[in-house]
Amino acid sequence: MINKSLGELSEFKDIQSSLLNFQKTAMQIWFDQKHYSKIVEERTLINSKTISSCPRCGSNDITKKGLDKNGIQRYFCTSCNHYFNPLTNTIFDCHKIAIKEWIQFLLSVFSYVAISSTSCLNRNERTTGFYWLDKMFRVLKSYQKEIVLSGNVLIDETYVSKNKRDQILNKKKKLRGISRNKICICVGVANKKIFAIVSPKSRLTSRLSFNIYGKHIKNNSTLIHDKERSHKILIKKNCLHDKSFYAAEVKKLPNSKNPLYPVNKVHSFLKRFLNNHKGLDKNKIQDWLNLFCFIWNTPGDKDDKTLEFLKLALSFKNRTKYREVYSKKNEKSLSVGAMCKN
């Protein structure tokens, strides 16, 4: 019996060793496939970008200077005497992970998947996921500036709570109602397009209402709202047609008959989007709103949205360094610990 037990133990060790080697090899092959950077398609994509000026000084006195070790076209500026390539001064400048990794990352983000989960799926560090998210925020920083709605425009406000560390307590109790612990988000909807802007204050005043909504609503449009007093200035200054309803009354109506349902629907999706990213820094909520509006406004499926974002990213001039994102100055808002903490 002793000999049999020793034989079973030896056999078990051999199987275990084989399984460990098999697992290690399989994971390495999968990792290499996902992180293989020197692919022909990526070189073709990068080299297809039209270069007409130097990304450093803006001069048009540039010439081609062969290819680098990865087959990427090099350029030389005779004005500032600097070499560069099509990705210089973009969010992909000096990238170490293949651009194709961004496709899976973007598909996950556009599916409302949490950034930590996305990083795990791609077998990247969690810090890489938040670093790429910061790059997305920079690309979309000015996305909503050009949005102007016309026709039947619905507007309404929704509220989310601030991070616990930023909340104010009164005798160790939370403030009730629309207090300083709430963040006011102003939303506009028309023709399947939206905008979402954070108000500097929790309670919307007439002045804030005009500053936020005014530049995003075309004159002579029809304003559909809930009789909020701060909206009156919009009707006057933007020459809008007023079509208002009492909020308490329309709440009782079914969605099919509720005139404010389209904007309420956006509120619902927006809160679901924010809740899927638990622990996000509410001080950067406008960046999240820009991302949400891009997802909503860009037509097509997730593949179309991914393609559209990559177009914006390749033409966006801003180099984002890893050290810059995770500097001590931004440590509270961008570190993984802060992102995962309520």
Side-chain angles (χ1 to χ4, degrees):
M1 291 181 65
I2 295 175
N3 292 335
K4 186 177 179 182
S5 299
L6 290 173
E8 289 177 351
L9 183 62
S10 176
E11 183 180 353
F12 174 75
K13 286 183 176 180
D14 291 341
I15 294 174
Q16 186 181 33
S17 177
S18 298
L19 282 173
L20 288 173
N21 289 333
F22 172 75
Q23 182 187 38
K24 184 177 179 180
T25 304
M27 295 299 289
Q28 187 62 47
I29 292 172
W30 185 70
F31 182 88
D32 292 340
Q33 287 175 343
K34 289 182 68 62
H35 293 78
Y36 184 58
S37 59
K38 299 177 182 179
I39 57 174
V40 176
E41 290 81 3
E42 183 165 318
R43 288 201 300 268
T44 304
L45 169 67
I46 297 171
N47 291 335
S48 66
K49 184 180 178 183
T50 304
I51 304 297
S52 58
S53 61
C54 174
R56 296 176 182 271
C57 67
S59 172
N60 296 324
D61 297 328
I62 58 175
T63 57
K64 290 185 177 181
K65 285 290 183 178
L67 307 176
D68 65 11
K69 63 180 180 180
N70 294 322
I72 306 301
Q73 181 66 57
R74 297 175 69 209
Y75 296 86
F76 179 74
C77 177
T78 56
S79 296
C80 63
N81 294 325
H82 276 103
Y83 288 92
F84 63 93
N85 62 49
L87 297 181
T88 300
N89 201 28
T90 70
I91 64 170
F92 303 116
D93 193 357
C94 298
H95 67 289
K96 295 181 180 179
I97 300 177
I99 296 178
K100 73 182 184 71
E101 284 287 293
W102 271 83
I103 295 176
Q104 185 61 48
F105 175 77
L106 293 171
L107 289 173
S108 298
V109 171
F110 296 156
S111 300
Y112 295 6
V113 178
I115 303 302
S116 297
S117 300
T118 300
S119 299
C120 290
L121 289 172
N122 287 343
R123 295 191 61 79
N124 291 329
E125 289 291 336
R126 294 171 70 186
T127 52
T128 299
F130 291 116
Y131 173 46
W132 285 7
L133 178 67
D134 185 79
K135 290 184 175 185
M136 289 187 71
F137 286 164
R138 292 173 188 245
V139 172
L140 298 174
K141 196 77 175 177
S142 303
Y143 173 74
Q144 295 196 68
K145 286 185 178 180
E146 303 300 324
I147 297 178
V148 179
L149 304 182
S150 60
N152 293 328
V153 182
L154 295 89
I155 63 171
D156 196 11
E157 296 77 46
T158 189
Y159 298 86
V160 295
S161 298
K162 291 183 178 180
N163 293 109
K164 287 184 179 179
R165 63 176 180 271
D166 297 325
Q167 290 185 8
I168 300 170
L169 301 179
N170 182 15
K171 296 180 180 179
K172 297 184 179 180
K173 292 183 179 180
K174 293 182 180 179
L175 302 179
R176 300 175 63 183
I178 303 175
S179 65
R180 287 174 291 174
N181 291 335
K182 296 290 185 180
I183 299 173
C184 175
I185 302 174
C186 303
V187 177
V189 185
N191 302 318
K192 298 183 179 180
K193 295 286 185 180
I194 68 169
F195 64 80
I197 309 295
V198 173
S199 169
K201 296 184 178 180
S202 300
R203 291 190 176 274
L204 202 63
T205 64
S206 295
R207 184 176 180 180
L208 282 175
S209 181
F210 178 72
N211 290 341
I212 293 171
Y213 288 118
K215 55 190 174 184
H216 293 290
I217 301 176
K218 190 176 181 180
N219 289 2
N220 298 314
S221 297
T222 299
L223 187 67
I224 304 174
H225 60 114
D226 60 356
K227 290 187 180 292
E228 166 65 39
R229 286 182 296 177
S230 61
H231 296 165
K232 291 182 180 179
I233 192 172
L234 293 168
I235 300 168
K236 182 179 179 181
K237 290 195 173 185
N238 282 34
C239 302
L240 304 175
H241 305 288
D242 184 17
K243 193 174 181 180
S244 56
F245 304 88
Y246 286 104
E249 294 180 0
V250 297
K251 278 183 179 179
K252 301 175 184 178
L253 300 175
N255 293 337
S256 58
K257 295 183 179 180
N258 187 342
L260 298 178
Y261 173 68
V263 70
N264 292 336
K265 180 182 177 182
V266 175
H267 289 169
S268 176
F269 274 88
L270 173 59
K271 288 186 176 181
R272 191 174 78 178
F273 172 74
L274 296 176
N275 289 336
N276 282 0
H277 297 281
K278 291 183 179 180
L280 64 89
D281 184 6
K282 298 292 177 62
N283 294 321
K284 288 185 170 290
I285 196 168
Q286 186 59 62
D287 292 325
W288 289 96
L289 297 181
N290 294 338
L291 175 57
F292 176 77
C293 289
F294 173 82
I295 296 172
W296 188 284
N297 291 339
T298 305
D301 56 17
K302 291 177 288 186
D303 292 332
D304 297 319
K305 299 178 196 299
T306 299
L307 180 62
E308 187 61 29
F309 179 83
L310 289 175
K311 286 180 183 177
L312 291 175
L314 286 169
S315 60
F316 179 72
K317 295 182 179 180
N318 182 280
R319 182 184 178 185
T320 308
K321 295 182 179 180
Y322 185 89
R323 290 190 298 272
E324 177 186 343
V325 174
Y326 285 98
S327 63
K328 290 184 179 180
K329 184 178 180 180
N330 297 324
E331 195 173 41
K332 282 188 178 181
S333 59
L334 288 172
S335 67
V336 177
M339 281 287 190
C340 299
K341 182 180 178 181
N342 284 326

